[in-house]
């Protein structure tokens, strides 16, 4: 008990220390930004206060939340389609050697295609519709999810499959109780990567092939040389991704994988 | 070798099943084909009977096909020739009630993402038992192996001996009438293994199961078994069968040491007994 308490006691100041370090880093960046903004024109580097006012203004007008939501929904849509196609595809390719060998070259090829190329194809095929960014997110996320699930199936312990056989599990039960939990960590890291990439490429897609969303608004602002707005959109979306990471992904990961040995101790 | 079958047919098949041995191996032969190699003869005409409520050890060096025999009793491997019957039912006919047959592997084989309790409950998940009852039974099995208080722990938080207890609880949770064990304690250190032997004997006194286990250690066979089937390798065949009549507790008893030494000499093992003399 006393050992556990000692670890807990040493961890709290460590957490506090990290938080202080993060705040200090943010403060330094802000100061540097402000100093640079003093010696440059506003259309090159607007000062932090002006950007903050712009964020407040865009939020108050509803422009910011609605476009943020539009982009987020597109990313989620593309991501979910990638999961729905990619998980079964990865399972099939991982469990069937012949199919796996046959389709193996497809993934590296898909991975080398730049998302800008997907965006151009998407515009040709879907025009300026929401389908364009969704398609680009899908094509970026899909190979990541397939690859990771595929790798996960390779990592399933044959001993556990034998255990399921000795316990007379049906195929469906073996899949659900042995394969899926074994693959979950691989799926999770793939999905996490896919969502992050998906968000970034959705902005690219929106700047060239959409009439709404964060990417579209950023291009519009840059066309009108409203640099303060470009900064405002950038900061808001970074903040959003941080919030998703800290409030959603990290707690989810902790919950799903709490059975893992804690490597910190 | 089972001519008595002819007699019992008169009284009916179900009556025959009630009195049939727990496990019957009848003239089992098996060869494995290695990829690109000649077929390897693993078992040649092996036949013996495991009577109900007894503990039988299959003792032999590696390569004598003892694990293959056990896996046949578990219905995981089919013989090339001969037949295996569990509770009087031929496995090949597919009518064996496997929910009453427990299996314990050489390693603990605990799923790392499940707590001890959930690992034990896994053995009940092939059927349709409601989860609340599964958990209640798993907790009871964990109590039985004296791990109460560790039900919520994950495998990596447990010692080797505790993990072995969880694996034992998993093989017992279905209240098996037959327990099959494949060198279940061979990966434990001597002291922990001895503790697991006591544990198993204590539970056997409560449950009166039929236990068939595989081992390469003479002492383990002598301490646990009522009957020892000694196998010879390449091809695997029965060398001799030994009945053990020493009363329990056998661990540390002089008669146990004597029998171990006697067997060791007659089986041609030169190494001295590893146990310490009082």
């Amino acid at each position: 008990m006393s050992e556990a308490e000692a670890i807990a006691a040493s961890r709290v100041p460590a957490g506090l220390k990290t938080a202080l370090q993060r705040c200090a880093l943010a403060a330094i960046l802000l100061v540097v930004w402000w100093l640079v903004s003093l010696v440059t024109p506003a259309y090159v580097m607007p000062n932090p206060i002006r950007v903050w006012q712009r964020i407040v203004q865009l939020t108050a007008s509803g422009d910011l939340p609605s476009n943020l939501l539009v982009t987020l929904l597109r990313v989620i849509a593309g991501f979910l389609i990638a999961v729905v196609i990619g998980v079964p595809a990865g399972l099939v390719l991982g469990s069937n050697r012949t199919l796996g060998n046959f389709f193996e070259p497809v993934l590296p090829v898909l991975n080398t295609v730049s998302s800008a190329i997907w965006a151009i194809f998407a515009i040709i095929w879907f025009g300026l519709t929401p389908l364009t960014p969704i398609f680009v997110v899908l094509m970026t996320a899909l190979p990541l999810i397939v690859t990771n699930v595929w790798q996960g199936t390779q990592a399933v312990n044959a001993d556990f499959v034998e255990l399921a056989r000795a316990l007379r599990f049906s195929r469906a039960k073996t899949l659900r109780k042995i394969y899926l939990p074994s693959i979950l960590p691989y799926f999770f890291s793939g999905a996490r990567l896919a969502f992050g990439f998906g968000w970034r490429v959705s902005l690219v897609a929106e700047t060239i092939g959409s009439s709404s969303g964060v990417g579209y608004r950023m291009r519009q602002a840059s066309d009108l040389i409203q640099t303060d707005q470009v900064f405002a959109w950038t900061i808001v979306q970074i903040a959003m991704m941080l919030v998703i990471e800290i409030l959603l992904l990290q707690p989810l990961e902790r919950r799903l994988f709490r059975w893992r040995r804690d490597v910190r101790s | 070798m089972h001519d008595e079958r002819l007699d019992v047919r008169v009284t009916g098949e179900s009556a025959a099943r009630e009195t049939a041995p727990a496990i019957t191996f009848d003239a089992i032969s098996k060869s494995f084909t290695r990829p690109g190699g000649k077929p390897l003869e693993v078992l040649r005409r092996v036949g013996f009977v495991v009577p109900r409520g007894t503990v039988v050890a299959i003792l032999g060096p590696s390569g004598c096909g003892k694990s293959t025999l056990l896996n046949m009793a578990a219905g995981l491997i089919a013989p090339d020739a001969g037949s295996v019957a569990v509770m009087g039912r031929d496995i090949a006919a597919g009518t064996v009630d496997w929910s009453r047959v427990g299996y314990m592997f050489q390693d603990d084989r605990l799923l790392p993402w499940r707590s001890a309790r959930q690992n034990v409950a896994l053995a009940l998940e092939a059927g349709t038992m409601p989860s609340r009852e599964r958990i209640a039974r798993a907790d009871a099995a964990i109590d039985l192996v004296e791990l109460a208080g560790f039900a919520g722990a994950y495998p990596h938080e447990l010692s080797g001996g505790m993990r072995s207890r969880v694996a034992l609880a998993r093989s017992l949770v279905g209240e098996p009438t037959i327990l099959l064990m494949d060198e279940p304690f061979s990966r434990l250190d001597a002291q922990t293994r001895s503790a697991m032997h006591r544990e198993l004997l204590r539970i056997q006194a409560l449950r009166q199961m039929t236990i068939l286990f595989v081992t390469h250690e003479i002492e383990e066979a002598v301490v646990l078994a009522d009957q020892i089937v000694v196998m010879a390798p390449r091809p695997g065949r029965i060398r001799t069968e030994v009945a053990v009549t020493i009363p329990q507790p056998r661990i540390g008893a002089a008669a146990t040491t004597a029998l171990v030494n006697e067997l060791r000499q007659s089986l041609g093992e030169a190494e001295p007994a590893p146990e310490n003399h009082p």
Side-chain angles (χ1 to χ4, degrees), chain A residues 162 165 168 173 177 181 259, chain B residues 74 76 109 113 125 127 156:
Chain A
E162 196 187 31
R165 214 162 83 82
R168 260 75 197 178
K173 233 163 213 173
K177 293 179 187 289
W259 52 270
Chain B
L76 299 173
R109 224 165 272 207
W113 58 86
E125 290 176 20
H156 75 83

Side-chain angles (χ1 to χ4, degrees), chain A residues 158-160 162-163 165-170 173 177-179 181-182 256 258-262, chain B residues 74-77 98 103 105 107 109-114 122-123 125-127 134 154 156 170:
Chain A
D159 287 348
F160 294 158
E162 196 187 31
L163 168 69
R165 214 162 83 82
L167 293 175
R168 260 75 197 178
F169 278 13
S170 63
K173 233 163 213 173
K177 293 179 187 289
I178 306 292
Y179 278 86
S182 303
L256 284 177
R258 77 203 134 150
W259 52 270
R260 284 187 165 173
R261 200 188 308 270
D262 192 347
Chain B
L76 299 173
I77 298 177
W98 293 111
Y103 192 103
F105 289 93
D107 50 356
R109 224 165 272 207
L110 301 180
L111 303 180
W113 58 86
R114 283 178 174 238
L122 183 80
E125 290 176 20
R134 288 200 302 258
Y154 287 95
H156 75 83
R170 183 178 60 196

Side-chain angles (χ1 to χ4, degrees), chain A residues 3 69 90 94 107 109 118-119 132-133 147 150-151 192 199 223 225 232 238 249 254:
Chain A
E3 199 182 333
L69 191 67
L107 288 171
V109 169
W118 290 123
T132 292
T147 310
W150 189 341
Q151 268 175 10
R192 197 174 189 165
W199 176 265
D223 284 352
I225 324 181
I238 289 172
L249 295 179
R254 265 201 298 276

Side-chain angles (χ1 to χ4, degrees), chain A residues 182-196:
Chain A
S182 303
I183 294 168
L184 193 64
Y186 292 85
F187 166 75
F188 196 84
S189 66
R192 197 174 189 165
L193 214 58
F195 193 81

Side-chain angles (χ1 to χ4, degrees), chain B residues 45-59:
Chain B
R45 294 194 62 77
V46 174
F48 65 95
V49 162
V50 182
R52 293 188 186 202
T54 62
V55 182
V56 174
I58 307 175
L59 175 68

Side-chain angles (χ1 to χ4, degrees), chain B residues 242-255:
Chain B
V242 180
V244 185
T245 51
I246 306 163
Q248 294 287 3
R250 295 177 189 164
I251 298 172

Side-chain angles (χ1 to χ4, degrees), chain A residues 78-99:
Chain A
F79 172 79
L80 286 182
I81 298 169
V83 169
V84 167
I85 300 172
V87 171
L91 287 175
V92 168
L93 292 176
S95 55
N96 186 320
R97 196 174 287 273
T98 317
L99 281 176

